[in-house]
Amino acid sequence: MIKTRRLLVAGMTAALVAALGACSDGGDDLSANGSVAQQSQPAQQAQPSPEVVHGLRDTVRHVTRKTADATRAHLVRKCTSTTERVRHTSRSGSGTRKTTRVWYTTEHHETCKKVRQGTERYKRVVRRERWCVSLDDVNGHKSQDDVWYRVDRVTYDQVLQADQHTRVEFTPAGTGC
């Protein structure tokens, strides 16, 4: 029974991860000025990126971070103290001279838990900031054009300074944009 339940939960988790992974690449393609760009042909998806890629600089894209105001429960730590009367016994002696001594002490305990007390506002990140570079002739393959790579900010700045269709080489952080 337990093994069946574990297998069921593992299968559901795998299906959920696969579904979320398939949905994460979708979204709006933003141009450099932040507007939604309609592409006449779909960009080719790159294969899992190798250590270093090189190609001809095509396009760069900076996708800004997007946030939204949201509210969540405000949790505060609330503690209650309790006391407990504890009975102690001590036995001494042997045989008929055995005596038992009894005394009581009071022990103090404090239990704390987080309880909801109103709500608080915060900024929820809807879309993370990312920097992307599109290459032509990726790794010398003339057929691989318009392949997007996610890069860090420093690499983005370096590629941005390069002229159009010059050879650039970098280590991507991921594929797609």
Side-chain angles (χ1 to χ4, degrees):
M1 177 77 174
I2 293 175
K3 284 186 179 181
T4 306
R5 184 174 288 164
R6 284 184 184 166
L7 286 173
L8 181 63
V9 169
M12 297 281 283
T13 303
L16 180 62
V17 167
L20 290 175
C23 294
S24 67
D25 275 338
D28 295 336
D29 290 330
L30 299 178
S31 62
N33 64 5
S35 63
V36 176
Q38 297 294 329
Q39 294 180 339
S40 59
Q41 61 182 4
Q44 295 178 2
Q45 288 295 323
Q47 300 300 322
S49 62
E51 294 283 324
V52 175
V53 295
H54 60 84
L56 302 179
R57 177 195 184 271
D58 188 19
T59 311
V60 293
R61 179 183 295 162
H62 175 229
V63 180
T64 59
R65 183 178 121 168
K66 187 175 182 181
T67 60
D69 290 335
T71 58
R72 62 182 168 209
H74 179 70
L75 300 176
V76 295
R77 188 171 181 237
K78 187 173 184 179
C79 300
T80 57
S81 58
T82 58
T83 57
E84 179 182 4
R85 188 173 181 215
V86 180
R87 179 181 175 178
H88 303 277
T89 58
S90 170
R91 298 176 191 255
S92 62
S94 63
T96 58
R97 296 184 183 257
K98 189 182 284 187
T99 60
T100 302
R101 189 171 76 93
V102 176
W103 73 96
Y104 294 90
T105 59
T106 303
E107 292 183 0
H108 299 277
H109 300 286
E110 185 176 63
T111 55
C112 297
K113 60 183 177 180
K114 289 189 175 183
V115 295
R116 181 178 174 166
Q117 185 176 15
T119 58
E120 62 183 4
R121 297 180 60 81
Y122 73 103
K123 292 279 187 188
R124 181 172 57 91
V125 177
V126 177
R127 179 183 63 218
R128 292 181 19 222
E129 182 175 30
R130 57 187 188 260
W131 298 272
C132 303
V133 174
S134 173
L135 295 180
D136 289 338
D137 300 341
V138 176
N139 292 334
H141 298 288
K142 301 270 187 210
S143 62
Q144 287 191 342
D145 287 347
D146 298 326
V147 180
W148 284 98
Y149 292 100
R150 284 191 309 275
V151 295
D152 58 6
R153 174 72 187 264
V154 175
T155 304
Y156 175 81
D157 289 338
Q158 291 171 351
V159 172
L160 187 62
Q161 297 300 320
D163 292 330
Q164 192 77 3
H165 296 291
T166 58
R167 186 177 188 275
V168 293
E169 185 174 307
F170 56 85
T171 303
T175 57
C177 189

